[in-house]
Amino acid sequence: MQTINVLGVPFTIIYANLEKDGEYGDCEPLSQTIRIDNTIPIDHQQKVLAHELTHAALRISGLNELVDDKIEEAICVLMETTYKIYEDIK
């Protein structure tokens, strides 16, 4: 396990088999936990982590209250893509 601060709030990152849940990751702001499926390739885990960290930041900041779920999800997918672009230019 590792901890990452999101806007000053520590989130525990847990890598676990999420196949039975049918998800690659999830974010629980109340428990300050992000879970990532450890059965997918590492590059995909990194994209999922960027996605879930974005959900965390939106929820902590309250910005998720300003947009509907589809817009929130679109923002998170955008951040996945931005993460990949950053990795490609490193």
Side-chain angles (χ1 to χ4, degrees):
M1 278 192 289
Q2 70 185 99
T3 301
I4 297 177
N5 283 320
V6 179
L7 302 177
V9 177
F11 272 75
T12 301
I13 312 301
I14 300 171
Y15 293 88
N17 184 334
L18 302 182
E19 286 181 296
K20 66 180 178 351
D21 297 337
E23 299 177 338
Y24 295 126
D26 59 33
C27 174
E28 288 295 331
L30 293 178
S31 64
Q32 296 168 257
T33 303
I34 291 174
R35 296 185 314 148
I36 306 295
D37 190 338
N38 64 3
T39 67
I40 59 177
I42 192 74
D43 61 325
H44 194 181
Q45 289 179 30
Q46 292 168 338
K47 281 179 54 175
V48 173
L49 180 58
H51 182 104
E52 298 305 334
L53 287 170
T54 304
H55 276 299
L58 289 169
R59 291 170 186 168
I60 291 168
S61 68
L63 291 173
N64 67 314
E65 298 294 327
L66 301 177
V67 296
D68 65 28
D69 290 344
K70 287 182 182 180
I71 299 296
E72 179 178 343
E73 195 63 23
I75 292 167
C76 293
V77 170
L78 174 65
M79 292 308 293
E80 282 179 29
T81 305
T82 303
Y83 171 80
K84 180 64 177 140
I85 291 169
Y86 174 74
E87 283 296 304
D88 289 346
I89 61 173
K90 274 176 60 175

